[in-house]
Amino acid sequence: MTHPKIPLAGVIGSPIAHSRSPNIHGHWLKTLGLPGHYIPMKVEAEDLESVLRTLPKAGFVGVNVTIPHKERVLEIADLSTDRATLIGAANTLVFRKDGKIQADNTDGYGFMKNLEAAGTSWTPAAGPAALFGAGGAARAVIAALLQAGVPEIMISNRTRVRAEALQADFGKRIQVVDWVQAGNMLDDAALVVNTTSLGMIGNPPLRVPLDGLRKNTLVTDLVYTPLKTRLLQTAEEMGCATVDGLGMLLHQAVPGFERWFGERPTVDSATRAAALR
Ligand code: NAP
């Protein structure tokens, strides 16, 4: 008697104990009644390639990838989607039946879906976006905003050369603003995004002066621990619409889950609650 194979997926990173992805995927597997398991795996850089080549042989259909392996997996993968190539990093791998590893990046998709789902009056055409940070997450957000039609993105980063590198990669619609003048970006911004790790529990807060914020500006933070960062709290007090970062994490998980387990899951309040457990 043959038993159907139970698909396995998981998340690879180091450290990995903090990851909320197992809660999210576990919740969807359970509520959709699908067979499958999703496992956190702590993997060091020197073992990354051999682990990725071995997992398909053990029944894995794919994995999510987190810090510090998002760039390296793109080099290891046999194929990559256009958006992963453009961003220069991947967070979702599919182990294909032909043995090839396909890399995708769903962070920008998750970011846009989170804004859409919030149901605010913001649209990409509303005006310039102001972005704090120039790391990996910033690249994904910039690619998504440009594709959605945002006319201009002002970027300010502590290390200015990283912002200039983004300008070189993404072109004329990017403006670089010095970190000490980051607050000046806010006067013209229809959307403000924090893509730095400032404001996260254990890190210093984002100290950019926020008095330039306008009431009709939408403010969002990629940091989701705490859910309401100082940036979001201040923006809310100033009458701005705000969107927290947890929704981005939930939405970025959707394409991988669908590909691995065969059904498209819904992001709802129960998914949020599961991620926060
Ligand atoms: P990263 O590549 O390491 O970039 C970190 C960014 O934070 C850089 O711009 C860095 O500036 C800045 N930064 C760090 N410490 C700083 C300080 N003391 N002062 C000023 N700037 C500082 O990390 P990442 O992958 O882009 O992730 C950034 C944040 O987004 C993390 O908190 C991550 O958890 C979050 N994130 C959330 C989601 C989600 O689904 N909600 C998805 C992806 C990432 P320098 O260039 O000057 O170092």
Side-chain angles (χ1 to χ4, degrees), residues 133-137 157-159 162 195-198 200 222 245 248-249:
N157 191 51
R158 174 181 61 178
T159 311
R162 286 186 93 185
T195 75
T196 74
S197 46
L198 293 171
M200 195 162 105
L222 266 54
M248 173 175 170
L249 181 77

Side-chain angles (χ1 to χ4, degrees), residues 26-276:
H27 166 77
W28 285 333
L29 284 168
K30 199 168 146 200
T31 52
L32 292 168
L34 294 171
H37 297 286
Y38 185 98
I39 300 147
M41 289 169 278
K42 185 169 184 285
V43 176
E44 302 307 333
E46 61 271 25
D47 302 320
L48 184 62
E49 182 154 14
S50 62
V51 167
L52 289 177
R53 295 288 170 200
T54 306
L55 285 176
K57 298 175 198 162
F60 278 76
V61 289
V63 287
N64 285 126
V65 181
T66 186
I67 286 169
H69 304 315
K70 284 181 165 187
E71 283 88 16
R72 177 74 183 111
V73 290
L74 199 60
E75 294 166 18
I76 295 170
D78 305 297
L79 305 156
S80 63
T81 60
D82 289 347
R83 59 189 179 184
T85 308
L86 180 68
I87 294 162
N91 69 345
T92 305
L93 300 180
V94 174
F95 301 146
R96 294 174 13 147
K97 289 211 172 74
D98 62 6
K100 293 200 160 75
I101 298 177
Q102 184 183 34
D104 191 10
N105 192 316
T106 65
D107 275 340
Y109 164 86
F111 174 78
M112 293 306 297
K113 280 281 166 202
N114 188 31
L115 293 192
E116 276 171 33
T120 69
S121 59
W122 177 82
T123 62
L131 208 128
F132 305 122
R139 293 188 76 90
V141 168
I142 290 165
L145 287 176
L146 290 178
Q147 203 202 2
V150 167
E152 182 191 342
I153 305 177
M154 300 169 279
I155 307 175
S156 190
N157 191 51
R158 174 181 61 178
T159 311
R160 189 183 164 102
V161 289
R162 286 186 93 185
E164 286 168 350
L166 291 178
Q167 188 179 38
D169 286 354
F170 288 100
K172 291 199 296 288
R173 281 196 279 162
I174 308 293
Q175 303 296 327
V176 176
V177 174
D178 214 72
W179 186 237
V180 290
Q181 284 162 353
N184 294 352
M185 302 191 295
L186 305 178
D187 313 356
D188 297 325
L191 173 71
V192 172
V193 189
N194 176 38
T195 75
T196 74
S197 46
L198 293 171
M200 195 162 105
I201 290 171
N203 287 355
L206 179 78
R207 291 197 198 280
V208 173
L210 300 171
D211 29 305
L213 270 179
R214 293 179 295 142
K215 260 199 173 62
N216 51 351
T217 299
L218 174 61
V219 180
T220 186
D221 203 325
L222 266 54
V223 169
Y224 53 84
T225 49
L227 275 180
K228 195 175 281 183
T229 58
R230 182 170 161 270
L231 169 67
L232 296 185
Q233 175 75 43
T234 309
E236 211 175 277
E237 284 162 11
M238 292 176 76
C240 300
T242 61
V243 178
D244 70 50
L246 184 63
M248 173 175 170
L249 181 77
L250 305 180
H251 284 284
Q252 64 77 32
V254 168
F257 185 95
E258 183 179 24
R259 190 73 197 258
W260 303 324
F261 299 115
E263 262 190 60
R264 193 164 185 87
T266 314
V267 172
D268 55 16
S269 54
T271 324
R272 266 180 86 86
L276 292 171

